[in-house]
Structure formats: structure tokens, C-alpha cells
Amino acid sequence: MSHVHVDRKVLQAGAAYRNLLVSSTGLVPDEPTVVTTGCGIQVPYALTSVRPESVTCLACREHAAREHLAYADQVRRLGRMTGSVISADEADQAADRARDIARKFAN
Ligand SMILES: [Zn+2]
């Protein structure tokens, strides 16, 4: 059985990012046919997932956990910058969500 991987750019592969792109640009991004995975191979897009419960490749799970933790730190810092587009509260909520997802991938 083939493993299910994550897209290397796991944070940009999710529905939330796609919706943001659609609402801000009006463009619907094409789903790529082949993507580079978190473990460094190329697989059909259909063999990747952004849902922690669906990803079976261990290296990809670790990659996704790392990416979400790094994002959590980034967004937290962003919320504390003067003139930031998001408030510290919003940033903390986004960081908490990202850490939650990281935990699920790390399990
Ligand atoms: Zn993988």
C-alpha cells in the first residue's frame, strides 16, 4: 500500500490558504498534479493530504509538525510587532491552532 504524504509546503496546501487566495485574488489555484513531499520525493497530488489523521508517511508527519511549530512562532512574533495587521490575540489564536495541528502530526 502506498503511503500518504504531505506537500512540502504543507501550510500553503490547506483549504484555508486556498480560500484566502481565492478571496483575495479571485483566482482559483489549479491543484498540482505532482508535488514534492515533506520527505523529499515526488508523488501525485492525490497521494498527499493536509489532515493529520490521513498522513501515513512518518517523515512527512515529522516535517508537517515542524512546519506548524515554526509557523506558530512566526505568527506569534508577528502579532507583537508594532503596526502588525493582526492583533496579539488573533496571533495567539492562530499560533494555538497551528500547535494543535503540530501535536496531531507528532502523535
Ligand atoms: Zn512522505
Side-chain angles (χ1 to χ4, degrees), residues 3-6 37-41 57-61:
H3 277 306
V4 176
H5 303 267
V6 294
T37 66
C39 60
I41 61 171
C57 170
L58 188 61
C60 276
R61 296 185 66 87

Side-chain angles (χ1 to χ4, degrees), residues 92-106:
D92 285 348
Q93 282 170 24
D96 283 350
R97 277 197 300 276
R99 272 196 212 92
D100 244 29
I101 298 170
R103 252 195 305 277
K104 287 178 189 155
F105 272 118

Side-chain angles (χ1 to χ4, degrees), residues 55-84:
V55 177
T56 55
C57 170
L58 188 61
C60 276
R61 296 185 66 87
E62 287 169 352
H63 170 80
R66 273 196 307 274
E67 291 286 294
H68 282 88
L69 283 179
Y71 172 78
D73 284 348
Q74 250 171 42
V75 77
R76 223 178 143 268
R77 270 200 298 277
L78 185 68
R80 277 154 186 75
M81 275 164 38
T82 312
S84 173

